[in-house]
Amino acid sequence: MFAFLKKTLELMEAGIDYQILTNIFEIQILTRFGISLNFNECVFCHRVGQAFDFSFKYGACLCPEHYHEDERRCHLNPNIPYLLNQFQAIDFETLETISLKAEIKQELRQFMDQLYEEYVGIHLKSKKFIDSLADWGQLLKEEDK
C-alpha cells in the first residue's frame, strides 16, 4: 500500500492530473476495504461494452435492457462506469499521461464520493475543506489574469 501511495505521489509530482490519479487510487484501494465492484458487465445478462449505469441496490452495473430493474439507479454519464472499469486495471508503472474534461472529472468525483459513502462509510471532517481546494485554485487563476 505504501509503494502504491508513493507511486501515486510521484506521478502527481511529474505533472499527471492529481484529480484523475486520486480517482484511480480510490477505486483501486476499494478492495482493501473488502469491496469489489464490477464496472465491466451487466449484473443480469453479463453483456459488456454497453452504456452502463450503476445500481447501489445490486452493487453493480446495469445495461440499458436492465435499467428498469432499479428505478433508483444512478443515471450516470455512461463514461463514468467505463472510466472506472479502466481505472481498476491501470498499472501506475506504465501510466505516462491521462486527461479528461473538467465536467467528467467533477462527475467522477461526485460518484466516487457516493461509492465511499455507501460502501466504506468514511466521513472525513476535512472532506469539505479538501473539496474546496479546487475552488481556491480557480480563484488564484482568475487573480493571475
Side-chain angles (χ1 to χ4, degrees):
M1 186 67 155
F2 177 75
F4 184 47
L5 176 60
K6 182 177 183 261
K7 184 63 180 176
T8 305
L9 295 172
E10 287 170 356
L11 290 170
M12 286 179 184
E13 179 104 5
I16 296 180
D17 190 312
Y18 73 93
Q19 292 171 310
I20 300 170
L21 289 172
T22 300
N23 293 143
I24 295 168
F25 184 87
E26 288 173 322
I27 199 69
Q28 288 191 9
I29 66 166
L30 276 176
T31 57
R32 306 295 200 291
F33 294 108
I35 298 148
S36 178
L37 301 173
N38 184 347
F39 294 101
N40 186 51
E41 64 184 23
C42 176
V43 68
F44 289 99
C45 66
H46 306 288
R47 290 173 56 195
V48 297
Q50 301 293 303
F52 291 127
D53 196 3
F54 192 80
S55 166
F56 282 104
K57 178 179 178 181
Y58 296 105
C61 286
L62 304 173
C63 72
E65 290 184 23
H66 293 102
Y67 285 170
H68 69 277
E69 297 290 343
D70 184 359
E71 67 279 350
R72 296 182 61 215
R73 64 186 172 88
C74 292
H75 298 278
L76 293 174
N77 174 330
N79 289 320
I80 302 304
Y82 171 81
L83 286 168
L84 291 176
N85 184 51
Q86 299 301 308
F87 289 177
Q88 285 177 325
I90 285 179
D91 177 7
F92 275 177
E93 295 301 321
T94 60
L95 183 64
E96 293 179 11
T97 184
I98 190 166
S99 65
L100 297 171
K101 293 181 180 179
E103 58 270 9
I104 293 291
K105 290 195 285 189
Q106 170 116 17
E107 290 177 49
L108 272 167
R109 174 76 272 135
Q110 290 171 344
F111 184 64
M112 289 302 300
D113 289 347
Q114 283 181 297
L115 284 177
Y116 269 78
E117 178 81 21
E118 182 72 22
Y119 292 113
V120 182
I122 292 179
H123 306 282
L124 301 174
K125 291 180 181 180
S126 59
K127 181 74 173 114
K128 186 174 181 178
F129 171 77
I130 292 168
D131 288 342
S132 74
L133 290 177
D135 297 334
W136 292 11
Q138 187 61 36
L139 287 173
L140 290 173
K141 285 180 185 177
E142 289 174 6
E143 287 180 8
D144 288 342
K145 290 181 181 180

